[in-house]
Amino acid sequence: MGKKHADDPRAVVRKLMKAGKVKKKCCRSKDRCKKCPVLALKKAKKQVAKAA
């Protein structure tokens, strides 16, 4: 019962937003910034796929 949101990438990104690590809205710059929620979601999806 330890990690409740480990299998849901969107929940991981939401947690990062609340912590201030990720912006709430994408600024749509040509090369995505490090705080982009779109990039964070891609990374979270990759981590979940890797863990499974």
Side-chain angles (χ1 to χ4, degrees):
M1 262 188 149
K3 291 187 179 182
K4 184 177 171 184
H5 302 292
D7 59 342
D8 185 17
R10 291 178 295 166
V12 172
V13 174
R14 266 188 252 118
K15 187 176 178 184
L16 290 172
M17 281 182 187
K18 285 182 180 179
K21 307 267 182 188
V22 175
K23 295 189 297 184
K24 292 190 182 221
K25 195 171 183 182
C26 178
C27 60
R28 299 188 200 143
S29 63
K30 184 76 172 168
D31 51 339
R32 306 264 187 204
C33 64
K34 292 179 183 176
K35 287 189 161 194
C36 182
V38 176
L39 250 180
L41 186 60
K42 281 185 181 180
K43 285 181 183 178
K45 284 181 181 179
K46 194 180 284 187
Q47 285 178 348
V48 168
K50 188 178 181 182

CSV table of all heavy atoms in Angstrom, one decimal:
chain,number,residue,atom,x,y,z
A,1,MET,N,0.8,-1.2,0.0
A,1,MET,CA,0.0,0.0,0.0
A,1,MET,C,0.8,1.3,0.0
A,1,MET,O,0.3,2.3,0.1
A,1,MET,CB,-0.9,0.0,1.2
A,1,MET,CG,-2.2,-0.5,1.0
A,1,MET,SD,-3.2,-0.2,2.5
A,1,MET,CE,-4.7,0.1,1.7
A,2,GLY,N,2.1,1.2,-0.1
A,2,GLY,CA,3.0,2.3,0.0
A,2,GLY,C,2.8,3.4,-1.0
A,2,GLY,O,2.3,4.5,-0.7
A,3,LYS,N,3.1,3.1,-2.3
A,3,LYS,CA,3.0,4.1,-3.3
A,3,LYS,C,1.6,4.0,-4.0
A,3,LYS,O,1.3,3.1,-4.8
A,3,LYS,CB,4.1,3.9,-4.4
A,3,LYS,CG,5.4,4.3,-3.8
A,3,LYS,CD,6.5,4.2,-4.9
A,3,LYS,CE,7.8,4.6,-4.3
A,3,LYS,NZ,8.9,4.6,-5.3
A,4,LYS,N,0.8,5.0,-3.7
A,4,LYS,CA,-0.6,5.0,-4.2
A,4,LYS,C,-0.7,5.4,-5.7
A,4,LYS,O,-1.5,4.9,-6.4
A,4,LYS,CB,-1.4,6.0,-3.3
A,4,LYS,CG,-2.8,6.0,-3.6
A,4,LYS,CD,-3.5,7.0,-2.6
A,4,LYS,CE,-4.9,7.2,-2.9
A,4,LYS,NZ,-5.5,8.2,-2.0
A,5,HIS,N,0.2,6.4,-6.1
A,5,HIS,CA,0.1,7.0,-7.4
A,5,HIS,C,1.2,6.5,-8.4
A,5,HIS,O,1.4,7.1,-9.4
A,5,HIS,CB,0.1,8.5,-7.3
A,5,HIS,CG,-1.0,9.1,-6.5
A,5,HIS,ND1,-2.3,9.0,-6.8
A,5,HIS,CD2,-0.9,9.7,-5.3
A,5,HIS,CE1,-3.0,9.6,-5.9
A,5,HIS,NE2,-2.2,10.0,-4.9
A,6,ALA,N,1.9,5.4,-8.0
A,6,ALA,CA,3.0,5.0,-8.8
A,6,ALA,C,2.6,4.6,-10.2
A,6,ALA,O,3.4,4.7,-11.2
A,6,ALA,CB,3.7,3.9,-8.1
A,7,ASP,N,1.4,4.1,-10.4
A,7,ASP,CA,1.0,3.6,-11.7
A,7,ASP,C,0.2,4.6,-12.5
A,7,ASP,O,-0.2,4.3,-13.7
A,7,ASP,CB,0.1,2.3,-11.5
A,7,ASP,CG,-1.1,2.6,-10.7
A,7,ASP,OD1,-1.2,3.6,-10.0
A,7,ASP,OD2,-2.0,1.7,-10.7
A,8,ASP,N,-0.1,5.8,-12.0
A,8,ASP,CA,-0.8,6.8,-12.7
A,8,ASP,C,0.1,8.0,-13.0
A,8,ASP,O,0.4,8.8,-12.1
A,8,ASP,CB,-2.0,7.3,-11.9
A,8,ASP,CG,-2.9,8.3,-12.7
A,8,ASP,OD1,-2.7,8.4,-13.9
A,8,ASP,OD2,-3.7,9.0,-12.0
A,9,PRO,N,0.6,8.2,-14.3
A,9,PRO,CA,1.5,9.3,-14.6
A,9,PRO,C,0.9,10.7,-14.4
A,9,PRO,O,1.6,11.6,-14.0
A,9,PRO,CB,1.8,9.1,-16.1
A,9,PRO,CG,1.2,7.8,-16.5
A,9,PRO,CD,0.3,7.3,-15.4
A,10,ARG,N,-0.4,10.8,-14.6
A,10,ARG,CA,-1.1,12.1,-14.4
A,10,ARG,C,-1.0,12.5,-12.9
A,10,ARG,O,-0.8,13.7,-12.6
A,10,ARG,CB,-2.5,12.1,-14.9
A,10,ARG,CG,-2.6,12.0,-16.4
A,10,ARG,CD,-4.0,11.9,-16.9
A,10,ARG,NE,-4.5,10.7,-16.4
A,10,ARG,CZ,-5.8,10.4,-16.4
A,10,ARG,NH1,-6.7,11.3,-16.8
A,10,ARG,NH2,-6.3,9.2,-15.9
A,11,ALA,N,-1.2,11.5,-12.0
A,11,ALA,CA,-1.1,11.8,-10.6
A,11,ALA,C,0.3,12.3,-10.2
A,11,ALA,O,0.5,13.2,-9.4
A,11,ALA,CB,-1.5,10.6,-9.8
A,12,VAL,N,1.3,11.7,-10.8
A,12,VAL,CA,2.7,12.0,-10.5
A,12,VAL,C,2.9,13.5,-10.9
A,12,VAL,O,3.5,14.3,-10.2
A,12,VAL,CB,3.7,11.1,-11.3
A,12,VAL,CG1,5.1,11.6,-11.2
A,12,VAL,CG2,3.5,9.7,-10.8
A,13,VAL,N,2.4,13.9,-12.1
A,13,VAL,CA,2.6,15.2,-12.6
A,13,VAL,C,1.8,16.2,-11.7
A,13,VAL,O,2.3,17.3,-11.4
A,13,VAL,CB,2.2,15.4,-14.1
A,13,VAL,CG1,2.2,16.8,-14.6
A,13,VAL,CG2,3.1,14.5,-15.0
A,14,ARG,N,0.7,15.8,-11.3
A,14,ARG,CA,-0.1,16.7,-10.4
A,14,ARG,C,0.6,17.0,-9.1
A,14,ARG,O,0.6,18.1,-8.6
A,14,ARG,CB,-1.5,16.1,-10.1
A,14,ARG,CG,-2.6,16.6,-11.0
A,14,ARG,CD,-3.9,16.1,-10.6
A,14,ARG,NE,-4.3,15.0,-11.5
A,14,ARG,CZ,-4.6,13.8,-11.2
A,14,ARG,NH1,-4.5,13.3,-10.0
A,14,ARG,NH2,-4.9,12.9,-12.2
A,15,LYS,N,1.3,15.9,-8.6
A,15,LYS,CA,2.0,16.1,-7.4
A,15,LYS,C,3.2,17.0,-7.6
A,15,LYS,O,3.5,17.9,-6.7
A,15,LYS,CB,2.5,14.7,-6.9
A,15,LYS,CG,3.2,14.7,-5.6
A,15,LYS,CD,3.5,13.3,-5.2
A,15,LYS,CE,4.3,13.3,-3.8
A,15,LYS,NZ,4.7,12.0,-3.4
A,16,LEU,N,3.9,16.9,-8.7
A,16,LEU,CA,5.0,17.8,-9.1
A,16,LEU,C,4.5,19.2,-9.2
A,16,LEU,O,5.2,20.2,-8.8
A,16,LEU,CB,5.7,17.3,-10.3
A,16,LEU,CG,6.5,16.0,-10.2
A,16,LEU,CD1,7.0,15.6,-11.6
A,16,LEU,CD2,7.7,16.2,-9.3
A,17,MET,N,3.3,19.4,-9.8
A,17,MET,CA,2.8,20.8,-9.9
A,17,MET,C,2.5,21.4,-8.5
A,17,MET,O,2.9,22.6,-8.3
A,17,MET,CB,1.4,20.8,-10.7
A,17,MET,CG,1.6,20.6,-12.1
A,17,MET,SD,-0.1,20.6,-12.9
A,17,MET,CE,0.3,20.3,-14.5
A,18,LYS,N,2.0,20.6,-7.6
A,18,LYS,CA,1.7,21.1,-6.3
A,18,LYS,C,3.0,21.5,-5.5
A,18,LYS,O,3.0,22.4,-4.7
A,18,LYS,CB,0.9,20.1,-5.5
A,18,LYS,CG,-0.5,20.1,-5.9
A,18,LYS,CD,-1.3,19.1,-5.0
A,18,LYS,CE,-2.8,19.0,-5.5
A,18,LYS,NZ,-3.5,18.1,-4.7
A,19,ALA,N,4.0,20.7,-5.8
A,19,ALA,CA,5.3,21.0,-5.2
A,19,ALA,C,6.1,22.2,-5.8
A,19,ALA,O,7.1,22.6,-5.3
A,19,ALA,CB,6.2,19.7,-5.3
A,20,GLY,N,5.6,22.6,-7.0
A,20,GLY,CA,6.2,23.8,-7.6
A,20,GLY,C,7.3,23.4,-8.6
A,20,GLY,O,8.1,24.2,-9.1
A,21,LYS,N,7.5,22.1,-8.9
A,21,LYS,CA,8.5,21.6,-9.8
A,21,LYS,C,8.1,21.8,-11.2
A,21,LYS,O,9.0,21.8,-12.1
A,21,LYS,CB,8.9,20.2,-9.4
A,21,LYS,CG,9.2,19.9,-8.0
A,21,LYS,CD,10.6,20.0,-7.8
A,21,LYS,CE,10.9,19.6,-6.3
A,21,LYS,NZ,12.2,19.8,-5.9
A,22,VAL,N,6.8,21.8,-11.5
A,22,VAL,CA,6.3,21.8,-12.9
A,22,VAL,C,5.3,22.9,-13.0
A,22,VAL,O,4.5,23.1,-12.0
A,22,VAL,CB,5.6,20.4,-13.2
A,22,VAL,CG1,5.0,20.5,-14.6
A,22,VAL,CG2,6.7,19.3,-13.2
A,23,LYS,N,5.3,23.6,-14.1
A,23,LYS,CA,4.3,24.7,-14.3
A,23,LYS,C,2.9,24.1,-14.5
A,23,LYS,O,2.8,23.0,-14.9
A,23,LYS,CB,4.7,25.5,-15.6
A,23,LYS,CG,6.0,26.3,-15.4
A,23,LYS,CD,6.2,27.3,-16.5
A,23,LYS,CE,6.3,26.5,-17.9
A,23,LYS,NZ,6.6,27.4,-19.0
A,24,LYS,N,1.9,24.9,-14.3
A,24,LYS,CA,0.5,24.4,-14.5
A,24,LYS,C,0.1,24.4,-16.0
A,24,LYS,O,-0.7,23.6,-16.4
A,24,LYS,CB,-0.5,25.3,-13.7
A,24,LYS,CG,-0.3,25.1,-12.2
A,24,LYS,CD,-1.4,25.8,-11.5
A,24,LYS,CE,-1.1,25.6,-10.0
A,24,LYS,NZ,-2.2,25.3,-9.2
A,25,LYS,N,0.7,25.3,-16.8
A,25,LYS,CA,0.3,25.4,-18.2
A,25,LYS,C,1.6,25.5,-19.0
A,25,LYS,O,2.5,26.1,-18.7
A,25,LYS,CB,-0.5,26.6,-18.4
A,25,LYS,CG,-1.3,26.6,-19.7
A,25,LYS,CD,-2.3,27.8,-19.7
A,25,LYS,CE,-3.1,27.7,-20.9
A,25,LYS,NZ,-4.0,28.9,-21.0
A,26,CYS,N,1.5,24.8,-20.2
A,26,CYS,CA,2.6,24.8,-21.1
A,26,CYS,C,2.7,26.2,-21.8
A,26,CYS,O,1.7,26.7,-22.3
A,26,CYS,CB,2.4,23.7,-22.1
A,26,CYS,SG,3.7,23.6,-23.4
A,27,CYS,N,3.9,26.7,-22.0
A,27,CYS,CA,4.1,28.0,-22.7
A,27,CYS,C,4.2,27.8,-24.2
A,27,CYS,O,4.3,28.8,-24.9
A,27,CYS,CB,5.3,28.8,-22.1
A,27,CYS,SG,6.8,27.9,-22.3
A,28,ARG,N,4.3,26.6,-24.6
A,28,ARG,CA,4.3,26.2,-26.0
A,28,ARG,C,5.6,26.8,-26.8
A,28,ARG,O,5.5,27.1,-27.9
A,28,ARG,CB,3.1,26.6,-26.8
A,28,ARG,CG,1.8,26.0,-26.3
A,28,ARG,CD,0.7,26.3,-27.2
A,28,ARG,NE,-0.6,26.1,-26.4
A,28,ARG,CZ,-1.6,26.9,-26.5
A,28,ARG,NH1,-1.6,27.9,-27.3
A,28,ARG,NH2,-2.7,26.6,-25.8
A,29,SER,N,6.7,26.9,-26.1
A,29,SER,CA,7.9,27.3,-26.7
A,29,SER,C,8.4,26.2,-27.7
A,29,SER,O,8.0,25.1,-27.5
A,29,SER,CB,9.0,27.7,-25.7
A,29,SER,OG,9.3,26.5,-25.0
A,30,LYS,N,9.2,26.6,-28.6
A,30,LYS,CA,9.6,25.7,-29.6
A,30,LYS,C,10.3,24.5,-29.0
A,30,LYS,O,10.0,23.3,-29.3
A,30,LYS,CB,10.6,26.4,-30.6
A,30,LYS,CG,11.1,25.5,-31.8
A,30,LYS,CD,10.0,25.4,-32.8
A,30,LYS,CE,10.6,24.7,-34.0
A,30,LYS,NZ,9.6,24.3,-34.9
A,31,ASP,N,11.3,24.7,-28.2
A,31,ASP,CA,11.9,23.6,-27.4
A,31,ASP,C,11.4,23.7,-26.0
A,31,ASP,O,11.4,24.7,-25.4
A,31,ASP,CB,13.5,23.7,-27.4
A,31,ASP,CG,13.9,25.1,-27.0
A,31,ASP,OD1,13.2,26.1,-27.1
A,31,ASP,OD2,15.1,25.2,-26.6
A,32,ARG,N,10.8,22.6,-25.6
A,32,ARG,CA,10.1,22.6,-24.3
A,32,ARG,C,11.0,22.9,-23.1
A,32,ARG,O,12.2,22.4,-23.1
A,32,ARG,CB,9.5,21.3,-24.0
A,32,ARG,CG,8.6,20.8,-25.1
A,32,ARG,CD,7.2,21.2,-24.8
A,32,ARG,NE,6.3,20.5,-25.9
A,32,ARG,CZ,5.1,21.0,-26.2
A,32,ARG,NH1,4.6,22.0,-25.6
A,32,ARG,NH2,4.4,20.4,-27.1
A,33,CYS,N,10.6,23.8,-22.2
A,33,CYS,CA,11.4,24.1,-21.0
A,33,CYS,C,11.4,22.9,-20.0
A,33,CYS,O,10.6,22.0,-20.1
A,33,CYS,CB,10.9,25.4,-20.4
A,33,CYS,SG,9.2,25.3,-19.7
A,34,LYS,N,12.2,23.0,-19.0
A,34,LYS,CA,12.4,21.9,-18.1
A,34,LYS,C,11.2,21.8,-17.2
A,34,LYS,O,10.9,20.7,-16.6
A,34,LYS,CB,13.6,22.1,-17.2
A,34,LYS,CG,14.9,22.0,-18.0
A,34,LYS,CD,16.1,22.2,-17.1
A,34,LYS,CE,17.4,22.1,-18.0
A,34,LYS,NZ,18.5,22.4,-17.2
A,35,LYS,N,10.4,22.9,-17.0
A,35,LYS,CA,9.3,22.8,-16.1
A,35,LYS,C,7.9,22.6,-16.9
A,35,LYS,O,6.9,22.8,-16.3
A,35,LYS,CB,9.2,24.2,-15.3
A,35,LYS,CG,10.2,24.3,-14.3
A,35,LYS,CD,9.9,25.5,-13.4
A,35,LYS,CE,10.6,25.5,-12.1
A,35,LYS,NZ,10.1,26.4,-11.2
A,36,CYS,N,8.0,22.2,-18.1
A,36,CYS,CA,6.9,22.0,-18.9
A,36,CYS,C,6.0,20.8,-18.5
A,36,CYS,O,6.6,19.7,-18.3
A,36,CYS,CB,7.3,21.8,-20.4
A,36,CYS,SG,5.9,21.6,-21.5
A,37,PRO,N,4.7,20.9,-18.3
A,37,PRO,CA,3.9,19.8,-17.9
A,37,PRO,C,3.8,18.7,-18.9
A,37,PRO,O,3.6,17.5,-18.6
A,37,PRO,CB,2.5,20.4,-17.6
A,37,PRO,CG,2.5,21.7,-18.4
A,37,PRO,CD,4.0,22.2,-18.4
A,38,VAL,N,3.9,19.1,-20.2
A,38,VAL,CA,3.9,18.1,-21.3
A,38,VAL,C,5.1,17.2,-21.2
A,38,VAL,O,5.0,15.9,-21.3
A,38,VAL,CB,3.8,18.8,-22.7
A,38,VAL,CG1,3.9,17.8,-23.8
A,38,VAL,CG2,2.6,19.6,-22.8
A,39,LEU,N,6.3,17.8,-21.0
A,39,LEU,CA,7.5,17.0,-20.8
A,39,LEU,C,7.5,16.1,-19.6
A,39,LEU,O,7.9,15.0,-19.6
A,39,LEU,CB,8.7,17.9,-20.7
A,39,LEU,CG,9.7,18.0,-21.9
A,39,LEU,CD1,10.8,19.0,-21.6
A,39,LEU,CD2,10.2,16.7,-22.3
A,40,ALA,N,6.9,16.7,-18.5
A,40,ALA,CA,6.8,15.9,-17.2
A,40,ALA,C,5.9,14.7,-17.4
A,40,ALA,O,6.2,13.7,-16.9
A,40,ALA,CB,6.3,16.9,-16.1
A,41,LEU,N,4.8,14.9,-18.2
A,41,LEU,CA,3.9,13.8,-18.4
A,41,LEU,C,4.6,12.7,-19.2
A,41,LEU,O,4.5,11.5,-18.9
A,41,LEU,CB,2.6,14.2,-19.1
A,41,LEU,CG,1.6,13.2,-19.2
A,41,LEU,CD1,1.1,12.7,-17.9
A,41,LEU,CD2,0.4,13.8,-20.0
A,42,LYS,N,5.4,13.1,-20.2
A,42,LYS,CA,6.1,12.1,-21.0
A,42,LYS,C,7.1,11.3,-20.2
A,42,LYS,O,7.2,10.1,-20.3
A,42,LYS,CB,6.9,12.8,-22.2
A,42,LYS,CG,6.0,13.2,-23.3
A,42,LYS,CD,6.9,13.7,-24.5
A,42,LYS,CE,6.0,14.1,-25.6
A,42,LYS,NZ,6.8,14.7,-26.7
A,43,LYS,N,7.8,12.0,-19.3
A,43,LYS,CA,8.8,11.4,-18.4
A,43,LYS,C,8.1,10.4,-17.5
A,43,LYS,O,8.6,9.3,-17.2
A,43,LYS,CB,9.6,12.4,-17.6
A,43,LYS,CG,10.6,13.1,-18.4
A,43,LYS,CD,11.4,14.1,-17.6
A,43,LYS,CE,12.4,14.9,-18.3
A,43,LYS,NZ,13.0,15.9,-17.5
A,44,ALA,N,6.9,10.9,-16.9
A,44,ALA,CA,6.2,10.0,-16.0
A,44,ALA,C,5.7,8.8,-16.6
A,44,ALA,O,5.7,7.7,-16.1
A,44,ALA,CB,5.1,10.8,-15.3
A,45,LYS,N,5.2,8.9,-17.9
A,45,LYS,CA,4.7,7.7,-18.6
A,45,LYS,C,5.8,6.8,-18.9
A,45,LYS,O,5.7,5.5,-18.8
A,45,LYS,CB,4.1,8.2,-19.9
A,45,LYS,CG,2.7,8.8,-19.8
A,45,LYS,CD,2.1,9.1,-21.1
A,45,LYS,CE,0.8,9.8,-21.0
A,45,LYS,NZ,0.2,10.1,-22.3
A,46,LYS,N,7.0,7.3,-19.2
A,46,LYS,CA,8.2,6.4,-19.5
A,46,LYS,C,8.6,5.7,-18.2
A,46,LYS,O,8.9,4.5,-18.3
A,46,LYS,CB,9.3,7.3,-20.0
A,46,LYS,CG,10.4,6.5,-20.6
A,46,LYS,CD,11.6,7.4,-21.1
A,46,LYS,CE,11.2,8.0,-22.4
A,46,LYS,NZ,12.3,8.8,-23.0
A,47,GLN,N,8.5,6.4,-17.1
A,47,GLN,CA,8.9,5.7,-15.8
A,47,GLN,C,7.9,4.6,-15.4
A,47,GLN,O,8.3,3.6,-15.0
A,47,GLN,CB,9.0,6.8,-14.7
A,47,GLN,CG,10.2,7.6,-14.7
A,47,GLN,CD,10.2,8.7,-13.6
A,47,GLN,OE1,9.2,8.9,-13.0
A,47,GLN,NE2,11.3,9.3,-13.5
A,48,VAL,N,6.6,4.9,-15.6
A,48,VAL,CA,5.6,3.9,-15.3
A,48,VAL,C,5.8,2.7,-16.2
A,48,VAL,O,5.7,1.5,-15.8
A,48,VAL,CB,4.2,4.5,-15.4
A,48,VAL,CG1,3.1,3.4,-15.4
A,48,VAL,CG2,4.0,5.5,-14.4
A,49,ALA,N,6.1,2.9,-17.5
A,49,ALA,CA,6.2,1.8,-18.4
A,49,ALA,C,7.5,1.0,-18.1
A,49,ALA,O,7.5,-0.2,-18.2
A,49,ALA,CB,6.4,2.3,-19.8
A,50,LYS,N,8.5,1.7,-17.6
A,50,LYS,CA,9.8,1.0,-17.2
A,50,LYS,C,9.6,0.2,-16.0
A,50,LYS,O,10.1,-0.9,-15.9
A,50,LYS,CB,10.9,2.1,-17.0
A,50,LYS,CG,12.2,1.5,-16.8
A,50,LYS,CD,13.2,2.7,-16.6
A,50,LYS,CE,14.6,2.2,-16.4
A,50,LYS,NZ,15.6,3.3,-16.2
A,51,ALA,N,8.8,0.7,-15.0
A,51,ALA,CA,8.6,0.0,-13.8
A,51,ALA,C,7.7,-1.3,-14.0
A,51,ALA,O,7.8,-2.2,-13.2
A,51,ALA,CB,7.9,0.9,-12.8
A,52,ALA,N,6.8,-1.2,-15.0
A,52,ALA,CA,5.9,-2.3,-15.1
A,52,ALA,C,6.5,-3.5,-15.8
A,52,ALA,O,7.5,-3.7,-16.3
A,52,ALA,CB,4.7,-1.9,-16.0
